[in-house]
Amino acid sequence: MPKLEFHQFPCLSDNYGVLVHDRAAGLTAAIDAPEAEAVRRALGEKGWTLTHILVTHHHADHTAGIEPLKAETRCTVIGPKAEANRIKGLDKTVAEGDAFAFGETEVRVLDTPGHTAGHITYWLPSESVAFAGDTLFAIGCGRVIEGDAETMWRSLQKLAKLPAATTVYCGHEYTVSNAKFALTIEPENAALQQRAAEVERLRAAGKPTLPTRIDIELETNPFLRPHVAAIRKRLGLEKAADWQVFGEIRERKNRG
Ligand SMILES: [Fe+2]
């Protein structure tokens, strides 16, 4: 039996919640708490009791459920140190370089600012799993709201350098529109063409396109591919730095 069980479920209009369960230790963590009711329902379906909430960033569609869930379960809430004054109910704050134990599993913290100034990613090396919140999406990335393109680019590079087989859970189901946009940036990418068709099929069948995996994103996500000559040529940025090409791709997505 694997040490941890992961349960992803839809919340709000296009968010995902994830529960992480350690049966031996009797622990269950919610990754973010988009809305209390959806988290409660998911816990009920699995028969699990909430013991932790791990928060990636302060946005309401990731934090609205914290206070009611904490009041009901007295769970421990862990979140980004740099956003401690913007998230109510935090018991423990963490930042880059920190690690903590969830049962016997080590959770490492990566600072991944850009979408918000203090956004963090939780990485479980022994499980090859990362929770990237709104930094990396399948075939996309989060909007750069509280940082600049270079900051977001560095955060994405940190995730891109995780082991290739790392499974990545993300905050939102945006993959179909991300794939359509990605095809305007790199239409000749055969892996992307194939994946775009696959995500259309999954969504038509009512299935999630997430979690994703680092190696799949490296092949198909234009935000991780500013080094590709065909992309640079299409954008007229042959000599620009990678982060500048990334910034132009992000601008085009914002306008689209
Ligand atoms: Fe967000």
Side-chain angles (χ1 to χ4, degrees):
M1 249 282 308
K3 198 162 57 162
L4 298 182
E5 196 179 327
F6 300 90
H7 176 57
Q8 177 183 262
F9 53 95
C11 302
L12 303 172
S13 58
D14 53 32
N15 281 73
Y16 280 119
V18 185
L19 297 177
V20 182
H21 182 63
D22 183 329
R23 196 170 144 182
L27 300 176
T28 304
I31 307 303
D32 289 328
E35 53 169 341
E37 184 49 33
V39 176
R40 244 179 242 133
R41 206 179 314 125
L43 287 162
E45 278 165 17
K46 301 300 283 185
W48 298 342
T49 302
L50 191 67
T51 57
H52 294 75
I53 300 174
L54 308 186
V55 187
T56 60
H57 67 294
H58 70 82
H59 284 162
D61 63 327
H62 295 254
T63 56
I66 293 174
E67 288 186 288
L69 290 166
K70 187 175 176 179
E72 289 162 26
T73 63
R74 295 194 209 150
C75 63
T76 300
V77 184
I78 300 171
K81 192 178 251 167
E83 296 185 354
N85 57 356
R86 303 179 79 171
I87 302 169
K88 285 190 189 144
L90 291 180
D91 297 299
K92 178 182 162 83
T93 60
V94 290
E96 178 84 22
D98 286 341
F100 59 91
F102 177 73
E104 288 181 8
T105 305
E106 182 192 35
V107 180
R108 290 195 207 166
V109 179
L110 308 173
D111 281 344
T112 47
H115 176 69
T116 65
H119 192 297
I120 58 174
T121 291
Y122 296 95
W123 177 37
L124 286 54
S126 66
E127 308 295 309
S128 295
V129 168
F131 299 100
D134 287 358
T135 297
L136 179 69
F137 294 134
I139 328 183
C141 74
R143 279 178 185 268
V144 183
I145 300 172
E146 296 177 9
D148 54 22
E150 195 170 2
T151 303
M152 187 68 165
W153 167 246
R154 271 198 232 109
S155 295
L156 288 170
Q157 279 301 287
K158 215 180 267 183
L159 299 180
K161 285 174 182 153
L162 292 175
T166 304
T167 296
V168 183
Y169 287 87
C170 314
H172 293 269
E173 177 64 65
Y174 293 153
T175 318
V176 168
S177 81
N178 286 347
K180 283 193 185 122
F181 170 75
L183 284 167
T184 69
I185 300 296
E186 199 184 12
E188 58 282 336
N189 180 336
L192 173 59
Q193 293 163 8
Q194 249 179 33
R195 192 170 178 214
E198 173 67 15
V199 301
E200 288 274 3
R201 272 196 299 276
L202 285 167
R203 293 310 289 155
K207 292 183 182 157
T209 63
L210 291 157
T212 181
R213 221 174 48 202
I214 291 295
D215 53 356
I216 298 173
E217 293 310 313
L218 289 174
E219 279 186 14
T220 59
N221 189 328
F223 295 100
L224 301 182
R225 297 172 59 78
H227 55 281
V228 173
I231 293 180
R232 292 176 154 259
K233 190 158 183 235
R234 182 163 293 108
L235 301 180
L237 290 171
E238 275 116 321
K239 298 215 163 92
D242 282 346
W243 72 264
Q244 291 170 314
V245 178
F246 163 78
E248 173 61 20
I249 299 171
R250 188 58 254 182
E251 283 296 317
R252 289 183 181 220
K253 178 73 166 76
N254 293 348
R255 291 196 295 266

